[in-house]
Amino acid sequence: MVEWTDAERRYVEAVWSKIDIDVCGPLALQRCLIVYPWTQRYFGGFGDLSTDTAIMGNPKVAKHGVVALTGLRTALDHMDEIKTTYAALSVLHSEKLHVDPDNFRLLCECLTIVVAGKMGKKMSPEMQAAWQKYLSAVTSALGRQYH
Amino acid sequence: MSLSAKQKATVRDFFSKMSTRSDDIGAEALSRLVAVYPQTKSYFAHWKEATPGSAPVRKHGITIMGGVYDAVGKIDDLKGGLLSLSELHAFMLRVDPVNFKLLAHCMLVCMSMIFPEEFTPQVHVAVDKFLAQLALALCEKYR
């Protein structure tokens, strides 16, 4: 189980309070598909991803960004049982979606950069550390059921 | 994953825009590296302190950023241009290459913080590629 200090819990809550999922979700996924284009392999059914403009205007990408970020937020209400919370989602990503778990890390990097852009220096180094710990815990849980 | 001519121009352009804040970005980036990835402090055991925001960390972050700017000027031949820096990192500093990625991520976070409008996905991918190429050039002499 991941151990959280009170300060870390507060930091993570503070970051989430600044995140509008409907805005940041799409931005993070668009950025991931642009910066790491090989991640587009999982979105064959999403229509036009051939240019940056197409990606940024693609409604399926935007909708899925919201889905993914909503999923990332789930851990906030289950900080002491992250592994069990994501067990089913881990099986889904492994057995049905066949997503290389390294992609979770790439999406999280893009999300952090989007959130940093929104928060500026309000995201202190200590806050960034707690946020990174949260994302690492979720990505680890999502990768756990792979075999 | 080498840089296209357009991406090289994007990198030069953005770093030029960034130049008034480059010290701040360098200092912040190294502070965040030691905060977010505490294992990196193992390279700074010889300092009095290696806490985020401390004087030696800020000073060294500025030094590193200076090196990155120098590399921008050598973007057409990073391996050749960074030969002596590579020897330094290979034979003296022996920094595990995984840490270059971690520092690059912290630099990107700081760029996004300080230039949220300018750090578009297009700038992001160009700078990310540049920092990756820079790291490769630094590793050239490792083995």
Side-chain angles (χ1 to χ4, degrees):
Chain A
M1 199 183 82
V2 182
E3 303 283 344
W4 303 95
T5 63
D6 288 340
E8 286 171 336
R9 288 177 199 268
R10 280 198 304 271
Y11 281 138
V12 172
E13 279 160 17
V15 176
W16 276 111
S17 74
K18 295 278 179 284
I19 291 177
D20 179 348
I21 291 183
D22 290 333
V23 171
C24 290
L27 285 177
L29 186 58
Q30 288 157 8
R31 199 168 274 254
C32 190
L33 295 171
I34 290 170
V35 177
Y36 306 112
W38 53 92
T39 58
Q40 292 168 26
R41 76 190 304 283
Y42 301 109
F43 301 105
F46 272 37
D48 190 5
L49 298 178
S50 57
T51 63
D52 294 352
T53 316
I55 289 170
M56 313 267 295
N58 186 310
K60 286 188 173 170
V61 170
K63 184 162 176 240
H64 195 69
V66 174
V67 167
L69 192 52
T70 305
L72 269 168
R73 199 202 171 281
T74 305
L76 187 62
D77 301 321
H78 301 278
M79 299 263 286
D80 296 318
E81 48 199 4
I82 292 179
K83 279 199 288 252
T84 43
T85 301
Y86 285 93
L89 265 179
S90 179
V91 170
L92 175 80
H93 282 78
S94 160
E95 315 227 322
K96 188 152 178 266
L97 305 176
H98 306 293
V99 177
D100 181 337
D102 198 53
N103 292 280
F104 307 145
R105 182 183 59 84
L106 298 180
L107 179 61
C108 287
E109 281 185 8
C110 290
L111 175 61
T112 300
I113 282 163
V114 165
V115 170
K118 301 271 175 218
M119 291 186 69
K121 288 222 187 164
K122 285 201 202 89
M123 187 189 253
S124 65
E126 293 74 18
M127 190 179 281
Q128 186 187 341
W131 176 245
Q132 183 59 51
K133 184 173 168 177
Y134 175 93
L135 292 177
S136 297
V138 174
T139 53
S140 169
L142 270 177
R144 223 166 158 264
Q145 304 300 327
Y146 280 65
H147 62 93
Chain B
M1 293 192 252
S2 44
L3 291 149
S4 66
K6 184 162 183 237
Q7 285 171 335
K8 286 182 189 176
T10 300
V11 169
R12 286 192 184 103
D13 218 40
F14 181 72
F15 271 74
S16 167
K17 274 189 200 130
M18 225 176 54
S19 56
T20 51
R21 304 292 303 272
S22 62
D23 280 1
D24 193 20
I25 289 175
E28 274 290 333
L30 197 64
S31 282
R32 280 156 200 283
L33 181 73
V34 297
V36 181
Y37 307 104
Q39 68 273 19
T40 57
K41 287 190 289 193
S42 63
Y43 292 98
F44 306 117
H46 56 287
W47 288 348
K48 226 184 266 171
E49 56 174 335
T51 49
S54 64
V57 169
R58 289 190 67 85
K59 180 164 178 250
H60 196 62
I62 291 171
T63 301
I64 293 175
M65 203 64 193
V68 174
Y69 263 85
D70 182 64
V72 175
K74 297 170 176 168
I75 202 168
D76 287 318
D77 179 23
L78 285 170
K79 284 210 178 105
L82 299 180
L83 221 41
S84 49
L85 258 185
S86 179
E87 282 170 358
L88 177 75
H89 284 78
F91 305 124
M92 284 214 55
L93 303 177
R94 287 177 290 196
V95 175
D96 190 308
V98 72
N99 296 287
F100 300 143
K101 280 202 185 110
L102 302 181
L103 180 57
H105 173 67
C106 292
M107 285 181 174
L108 299 175
V109 168
C110 291
M111 290 171 191
S112 180
M113 272 180 185
I114 293 177
F115 294 96
E117 300 301 324
E118 293 86 340
F119 198 67
T120 60
Q122 291 71 31
V123 170
H124 178 168
V125 63
V127 176
D128 191 36
K129 281 174 76 171
F130 166 68
L131 293 175
Q133 292 287 316
L134 209 181
L136 270 175
L138 278 179
C139 288
E140 183 63 22
K141 293 297 198 183
Y142 268 52
R143 57 176 175 175

